[in-house]
């Protein structure tokens, strides 16, 4: 009887310890996980989490070109259209598709407007944008598929780092700020907007010429457009493609 | 599969869990298959080598026991050892041998010999080969009976916690425990808890201390010609700490994981940097290897039974062979030679030192005397590690030359030391981790208790706090993931 009581005590002790450990690790992960709240780069996915269900009429999907060019409040004030900029700096093709899929889990937009800047590059040039996009979604089958699609054919990168995330985000102890511990309050009411308080000189007129010359779509680009189309058919939204203007000098024009 | 990898985080609980669930008869088979799987994760083909070593030494031991005639016993012993050493030679020392042969031929004006092989060094070959050889010698000496159960013996050779980097176990300890697996009770809670704590501590030493220190060490040793005394001394000092944290960390994980499964592996490190002499250092550092060399090289050579000169010769040979065991390169030979030199000079000068202490009325049973002895021993060891790390004799000598010819105290008053790869924050983390290591080492030294045993004796809240903090610290401050070169444990090179 004594042995049995001791055995049960130990089982309970192990179970409670495991639960406490799990909570401690989860809290630590929540502090360390990738967040974009302030700074020159942006991701509106945190704001999406705080957006009430089925409240978005129009979604603009794309990179920084979207949050720089499209001001959702304008559509609301002028036309009563509830708009959301689902934009992440440097958003690549695969990320835009899976982030849109993620949005559709809680929203039923009538129109999805996708910026086609993703057609002009395959891989991220900025390391931070790679993490920003690959680590934006909650861990799920879609987040795993995103990593698989993005790194398809890449044998050098350890995909496990992106599946498990800890190998990447644990280094953020070097840069933790207030909003890693507490929620960034504007996330509750912004709808894909970024707030900047910078004061600077006006940009000079960009030196880029007409940037786009006609060319064949690559297989990967074609696949991306077809996937978006299939998604629009399945989910019942109207799909619009747009090429939003952006500041570019001669070298960076695609 | 490294111990500090997610694969091992999945592998170990599955193996340990199944080990406890399976019927007693099947447990050794399960552990054996898991060990082979663990080894195959490194290289599938080299499993054949470990199988070959297992079969040869298994058969040799049985034959030695069966045969009556001593000369035949000896022939079988030599044959069994010889075959295994030949394999070790081919995979580990052939390139070194050929390089030196070609240099000699070049000096004599002849052409070189082309290397017909292009072989990768199988992980752990030095460890399991020595373990198997030790067993055969023990059987020959009648210290242990020959094992008749091939599963038990194969598990002894390839037990995964200690397969790739030790401790180099003795049949009296590990094999006898393996034979008892079928009679053991299912699960020992206290062993499991203390084993888990020891594993966490090993991971902490490896990922937080060793891999962090390695950042500075690699920078300094690679660019030694741009640095002065203080940076070079710091590099040597941090390597001293890195190799200890790396290797003792690995041993802790090995010992801890075996203990979770109720198997007690031998202690491999006992606060070596608290040693008061080089002799004392080798009683505390890589204990499994140093005792192996004592029992199977030094004593067969005659030990100290054939006069002082012969003893010194035997010491030199043992240490040089030990150096060579660590690596097929002259800098390792130099490292071994240096330790042999320390030992011999220490013994020769002992009477003179004692007379000097008597003359100067030096108190020898006081803290300050022992502290000085520890500091001197530590500095001698740090100096020798330069040869170990430098990867070539030439580099080691140039490193030392530069260290003593470029004295630059001004670097201590600026930010130069924070430009060696670790900024202030990272140095701070390293310093704090080293303080923790010092505290645990003092606990070991004073109370003769390992961390697992100490934690086990505490109240629940403290046990939980230590374990949770260790997990969090490893997950947050460990050097792994992006920008991490997956530096395997240093001793894997052997």
């Amino acid at each position: 009887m004594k042995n049995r009581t001791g055995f049960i005590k130990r089982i309970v002790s192990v179970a409670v310890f495991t639960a406490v450990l799990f909570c401690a690790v989860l809290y630590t992960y929540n502090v360390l996980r990738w967040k974009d709240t302030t700074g020159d780069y942006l991701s509106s996915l945190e704001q999406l989490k705080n957006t009430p269900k089925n409240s978005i009429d129009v979604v603009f999907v794309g990179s920084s070109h979207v949050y720089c060019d499209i001001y959702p409040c304008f559509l609301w004030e002028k036309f009563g259209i509830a708009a959301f900029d689902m934009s992440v700096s440097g958003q690549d093709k695969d990320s835009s598709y899976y982030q849109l899929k993620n949005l559709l889990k809680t929203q039923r937009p009538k129109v999805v407007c996708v910026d086609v800047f993703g057609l002009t590059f395959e891989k991220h040039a900025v390391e931070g944008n790679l993490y920003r996009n690959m680590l934006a979604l909650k861990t799920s089958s879609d987040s795993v598929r995103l990593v698989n699609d993005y790194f398809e054919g890449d044998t050098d990168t350890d995909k496990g780092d992106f599946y498990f995330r800890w190998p990447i985000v644990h280094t953020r102890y070097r840069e933790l700020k207030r909003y890693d511990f507490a929620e960034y309050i504007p996330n509750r009411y912004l709808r894909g907007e970024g707030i900047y308080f910078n004061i600077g000189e006006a940009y000079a007129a960009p030196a880029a010429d007409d940037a786009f010359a006609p060319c064949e779509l690559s297989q990967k680009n074609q696949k991306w457009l077809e996937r978006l189309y299939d998604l629009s058919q399945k989910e019942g939204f109207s799909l619009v493609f747009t090429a939003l203007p952006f500041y570019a000098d001669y070298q960076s024009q695609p | 599969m490294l111990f500090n990898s997610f694969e091992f985080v999945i592998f170990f609980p599955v193996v340990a869990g199944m080990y406890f669930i399976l019927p007693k008869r099947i447990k050794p088979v399960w552990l054996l298959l898991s060990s082979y799987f663990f080894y195959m994760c490194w290289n599938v083909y080299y499993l054949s080598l470990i199988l070959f070593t297992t079969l040869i030494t298994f058969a040799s031991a049985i034959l030695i026991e069966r045969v009556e005639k001593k000369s035949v016993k000896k022939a079988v012993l030599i044959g069994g050892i010889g075959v295994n050493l030949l394999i070790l030679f081919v995979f580990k020392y052939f390139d070194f041998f050929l390089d030196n042969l070609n240099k000699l031929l070049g000096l004599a004006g002849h052409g070189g010999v082309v290397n017909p092989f292009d072989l990768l060094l199988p992980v752990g070959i030095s460890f399991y080969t020595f373990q198997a050889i030790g067993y055969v010698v023990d059987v020959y000496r009648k210290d242990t009976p020959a094992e008749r159960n091939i599963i038990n013996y194969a598990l002894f050779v390839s037990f995964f916690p200690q397969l790739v980097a030790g401790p180099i176990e003795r049949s009296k300890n590990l094999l006898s425990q393996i034979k008892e697996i079928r009679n053991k009770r299912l699960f020992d809670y206290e062993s499991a808890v203390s084993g888990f704590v020891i594993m966490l501590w090993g991971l902490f030493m490896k990922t937080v201390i060793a891999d962090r220190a390695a950042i500075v060490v690699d920078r300094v040793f690679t660019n030694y010609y741009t640095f002065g005394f203080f940076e070079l001394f710091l590099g040597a000092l941090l390597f001293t700490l890195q190799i200890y944290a790396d290797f003792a960390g690995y041993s802790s994980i090995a010992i801890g994981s075996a203990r979770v499964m109720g198997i007690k592996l031998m202690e491999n490190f006992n606060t070596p940097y608290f040693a008061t002499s080089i002799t004392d250092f080798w009683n505390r550092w890589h204990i499994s290897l140093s005792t192996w060399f004592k029992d199977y090289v030094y004593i067969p050579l005659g030990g100290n039974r054939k006069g002082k000169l012969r003893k010194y010769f035997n010491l030199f040979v043992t240490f040089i062979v030990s150096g060579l065991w660590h690596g097929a390169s002259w800098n390792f030979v130099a490292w071994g030679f240096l330790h042999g030199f320390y030992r011999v000079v220490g013994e020769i000068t002992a009477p003179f030192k004692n007379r000097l202490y008597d003359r100067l009325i030096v108190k020898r049973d006081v803290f300050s005397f022992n502290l000085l002895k520890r500091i001197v021993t530590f500095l001698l060891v740090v100096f020798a590690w330069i040869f170990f790390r430098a990867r070539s004799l030439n580099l080691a000598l140039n490193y030392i030359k530069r260290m003593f010819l470029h004295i630059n105290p001004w670097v201590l008053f600026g930010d130069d030391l924070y430009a060696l790869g670790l900024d202030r924050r990272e140095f701070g983390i390293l310093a704090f981790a080293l303080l923790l290591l010092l505290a645990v080492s003092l606990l070991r030294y004073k109370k003769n208790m390992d961390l697992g045993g100490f934690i086990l004796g505490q109240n629940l809240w403290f046990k939980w706090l230590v374990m949770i903090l260790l997990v969090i610290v490893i997950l947050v401050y460990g050097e792994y993931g992006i920008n991490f070169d997956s530096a395997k444990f240093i001793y894997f090179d052997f």
Side-chain angles (χ1 to χ4, degrees):
Chain A
M1 189 67 175
K2 204 175 172 186
N3 276 343
R4 202 170 165 210
T5 312
F7 176 72
I8 292 169
K9 260 189 184 170
R10 279 189 175 155
I11 295 284
V12 169
S13 174
V14 168
V16 173
F17 170 75
T18 308
V20 171
L21 178 63
F22 179 76
C23 291
V25 169
L26 192 64
Y27 174 76
T28 309
Y29 176 74
N30 271 326
V31 169
L32 290 168
R33 68 181 174 85
W34 193 281
K35 299 176 204 72
D36 274 298
T37 51
T38 58
D40 289 342
Y41 292 104
L42 197 76
S43 165
S44 61
L45 291 177
E46 292 292 321
Q47 298 169 21
L48 180 63
K49 286 174 198 165
N50 289 293
T51 303
K53 276 190 179 178
N54 298 323
S55 58
I56 299 174
D57 297 326
V58 177
V59 179
F60 294 90
V61 179
S63 62
S64 54
H65 301 175
V66 168
Y67 67 68
C68 286
D69 290 3
I70 308 289
Y71 183 42
C73 290
F74 181 82
L75 285 172
W76 177 254
E77 283 165 11
K78 286 280 183 189
F79 305 107
I81 296 172
F84 187 95
D85 284 354
M86 198 187 70
S87 55
V88 180
S89 294
Q91 191 190 68
D92 58 279
K93 288 186 274 290
D94 298 303
S95 297
S96 67
Y97 174 75
Y98 286 102
Q99 284 164 18
L100 179 59
K101 270 191 86 180
N102 178 62
L103 178 140
L104 293 168
K105 286 178 185 167
T106 56
Q107 304 294 332
R108 284 263 158 271
K110 296 174 187 63
V111 178
V112 173
C113 186
V114 179
D115 182 56
V116 294
F117 186 71
L119 292 173
T120 64
F121 69 96
E122 297 299 331
K123 298 292 176 200
H124 290 280
V126 176
E127 194 180 359
N129 285 341
L130 171 66
Y131 301 135
R132 185 168 282 114
N133 282 278
M134 292 297 121
L135 308 181
L137 300 175
K138 269 191 178 170
T139 303
S140 61
S141 54
D142 277 343
S143 70
V144 171
R145 280 189 210 114
L146 166 59
V147 171
N148 289 339
D149 287 354
Y150 181 82
F151 289 109
E152 193 181 1
D154 181 342
T155 50
D156 293 330
T157 304
D158 186 353
K159 284 189 254 188
D161 288 353
F162 292 88
Y163 296 148
F164 296 110
R165 305 184 174 192
W166 270 107
I168 298 167
V169 302
H170 82 96
T171 57
R172 289 197 66 239
Y173 69 81
R174 296 173 193 148
E175 60 184 36
L176 293 179
K177 299 273 188 297
R178 180 182 168 187
Y179 296 120
D180 287 299
F181 295 88
E183 198 196 354
Y184 183 55
I185 294 169
N187 279 340
R188 290 183 206 161
Y189 52 82
L190 294 178
R191 297 292 173 250
E193 299 167 63
I195 299 175
Y196 289 94
F197 298 103
N198 299 329
I199 299 172
E201 289 175 13
Y203 286 119
D209 298 326
D210 290 329
F212 297 98
C215 62
E216 289 287 322
L217 275 176
S218 70
Q219 214 172 358
K220 192 144 192 213
N221 283 338
Q222 212 166 334
K223 186 181 166 190
W224 177 54
L225 297 173
E226 284 166 4
R227 275 177 120 185
L228 287 169
Y229 175 75
D230 291 341
L231 190 64
S232 73
Q233 294 300 294
K234 186 181 166 197
E235 299 290 338
F237 59 80
S238 299
L239 181 61
V240 175
F241 290 112
T242 181
L244 291 169
F246 60 94
Y247 182 81
D249 59 21
Y250 189 81
Q251 276 78 33
S252 63
Q253 64 181 342
Chain B
M1 191 192 307
L2 292 170
F3 278 172
N4 57 327
S5 68
F6 280 111
E7 289 88 350
F8 188 75
V9 170
I10 311 289
F11 171 84
F12 181 70
V14 169
V15 170
M18 288 299 292
Y19 173 74
F20 291 122
I21 292 168
L22 287 169
K24 286 178 184 174
R25 289 181 302 109
I26 311 294
K27 286 183 200 295
V29 178
W30 169 250
L31 279 185
L32 180 63
L33 292 174
S34 305
S35 299
Y36 284 158
F37 175 79
F38 180 84
Y39 196 73
M40 282 197 291
C41 289
W42 293 98
N43 188 309
V44 172
Y45 303 109
Y46 285 156
L47 183 66
S48 54
L49 284 175
I50 203 173
L51 287 171
F52 183 76
T53 294
T54 302
L55 291 169
I56 287 287
T57 49
F58 178 73
S60 299
I62 291 175
L63 204 55
I64 286 170
E65 204 166 67
R66 275 212 185 132
V67 155
E68 296 289 330
K69 218 170 164 187
K70 196 157 184 194
S71 57
V72 177
K73 278 183 195 284
K74 203 163 194 176
V76 173
L77 172 75
I78 291 167
I81 294 173
V83 166
N84 283 288
L85 288 179
L86 182 64
I87 296 171
L88 192 61
F89 175 79
V90 167
F91 281 93
K92 192 168 172 180
Y93 298 105
F94 187 75
D95 288 353
F96 176 59
F97 166 75
L98 204 61
D99 282 344
N100 286 285
L101 178 67
N102 284 337
K103 276 180 191 153
L104 285 172
L105 289 172
L107 283 171
H110 297 294
V113 177
V114 174
N115 190 344
F117 308 120
D118 183 21
L119 301 168
L120 267 178
L121 181 65
V123 169
I125 189 170
S126 303
F127 291 91
Y128 69 72
T129 302
F130 269 34
Q131 189 156 308
I133 288 174
Y135 162 75
V136 175
V137 175
D138 285 347
V139 170
Y140 176 80
R141 287 177 179 168
K142 296 187 178 152
D143 288 342
T144 195
E147 178 56 45
R148 296 298 207 253
N149 185 316
I150 183 69
I151 301 290
N152 287 347
Y153 181 69
L155 182 56
F156 164 71
V157 175
S158 60
F159 185 45
F160 76 87
Q162 46 90 234
L163 172 59
V164 291
I168 300 172
E169 270 296 343
R170 302 301 183 92
S171 52
K172 267 188 193 160
N173 183 43
L174 181 58
L175 188 52
S176 59
Q177 289 184 73
I178 286 170
K179 282 152 82 159
E180 287 302 306
I181 283 174
R182 291 175 186 84
N183 305 324
K184 269 184 179 345
R185 74 179 161 140
L186 189 64
F187 173 78
D188 184 271
Y189 179 77
E190 293 187 341
S191 288
V193 171
S194 73
F196 179 62
V197 171
I198 292 170
M199 285 177 78
L200 287 179
W201 179 246
L203 272 173
F204 171 82
M205 288 175 78
K206 164 66 179 162
T207 62
V208 180
I209 298 178
D211 291 342
R212 188 170 259 98
I215 293 168
V216 174
V217 171
D218 291 349
R219 176 86 58 101
V220 170
F221 273 83
T222 305
N223 305 292
Y224 71 91
Y225 44 85
T226 63
F227 297 123
F229 172 82
F230 286 95
E231 295 101 327
L232 296 171
F233 180 73
L234 181 67
L237 179 65
L238 284 179
F239 180 70
T240 302
L241 297 166
Q242 178 199 346
I243 193 168
Y244 173 60
D246 193 286
F247 196 20
Y250 177 92
S251 290
S252 288
I253 299 169
I255 290 165
S257 53
R259 195 181 291 190
V260 167
M261 294 184 285
I263 293 170
K264 203 168 181 315
L265 294 180
M266 69 182 291
E267 186 182 39
N268 218 8
F269 292 88
N270 181 8
T271 61
Y273 294 148
F274 288 176
T276 52
S277 65
I278 293 296
T279 307
D280 190 24
F281 174 78
W282 281 101
N283 287 335
R284 296 167 177 275
W285 177 273
H286 201 173
I287 296 167
S288 65
L289 181 73
S290 58
T291 52
W292 195 98
F293 272 111
K294 186 185 83 179
D295 291 342
Y296 303 111
V297 176
Y298 178 69
I299 287 174
L301 282 174
N304 58 2
R305 299 188 308 272
K306 300 191 175 179
K308 270 194 181 155
L309 273 177
R310 182 59 189 263
K311 178 187 175 184
Y312 300 152
F313 172 78
N314 292 341
L315 278 171
F316 265 117
V317 167
T318 305
F319 275 105
I320 287 169
V321 171
S322 169
L324 206 52
W325 178 91
H326 283 82
S329 176
W330 288 112
N331 59 297
F332 290 110
V333 175
W335 171 78
F337 176 85
L338 202 46
H339 272 276
F341 178 77
Y342 288 158
R343 267 298 291 271
V344 168
V345 168
E347 293 227 3
I348 291 170
T349 58
F352 301 108
K353 281 192 289 193
N354 285 331
R355 279 207 291 275
L356 185 66
Y357 297 147
D358 289 335
R359 278 256 164 92
L360 298 175
I361 317 174
V362 171
K363 294 178 202 166
R364 273 166 269 185
D365 57 352
V366 294
F367 170 76
S368 52
F369 183 75
N370 286 312
L371 178 66
L372 186 63
K373 280 174 74 171
R374 284 190 176 92
I375 291 170
V376 169
T377 304
F378 182 74
L379 290 173
L380 289 173
V381 167
V382 169
F383 182 80
W385 281 133
I386 294 172
F387 289 88
F388 195 95
R389 173 60 180 82
R391 305 289 166 166
S392 83
L393 187 57
N394 205 33
L395 196 150
L397 293 170
N398 285 335
Y399 188 104
I400 291 163
K401 190 171 143 188
R402 180 135 187 126
M403 195 159 90
F404 290 106
L405 292 182
H406 288 81
I407 311 293
N408 56 345
W410 50 88
V411 301
L412 297 173
F413 300 98
D415 286 338
D416 298 57
L417 294 181
Y418 297 115
L420 297 175
L422 293 182
D423 59 17
R424 276 179 199 273
R425 187 205 327 260
E426 293 296 323
F427 254 118
I429 293 167
L430 181 61
F432 185 77
L434 287 170
L435 278 173
L436 209 56
L437 176 62
L438 179 64
V440 171
S441 300
L442 281 169
L443 176 77
R444 177 76 183 82
Y445 189 76
K446 295 281 184 198
K447 293 198 181 276
N448 200 28
M449 197 188 283
D450 66 26
L451 184 66
F454 172 74
I455 294 297
L456 207 59
Q458 304 304 313
N459 285 322
L460 192 71
W461 71 269
F462 188 77
K463 277 192 266 200
W464 283 18
L465 185 67
V466 166
M467 287 193 274
I468 289 170
L469 282 178
L470 275 175
V471 169
I472 301 292
V473 166
I474 290 163
L475 285 176
V476 177
Y477 294 109
E479 289 288 332
Y480 64 95
I482 53 165
N483 304 323
F484 175 67
D485 235 343
S486 186
K488 57 186 197 280
F489 296 94
I490 292 175
Y491 266 66
F492 275 13
D493 284 344
F494 317 127

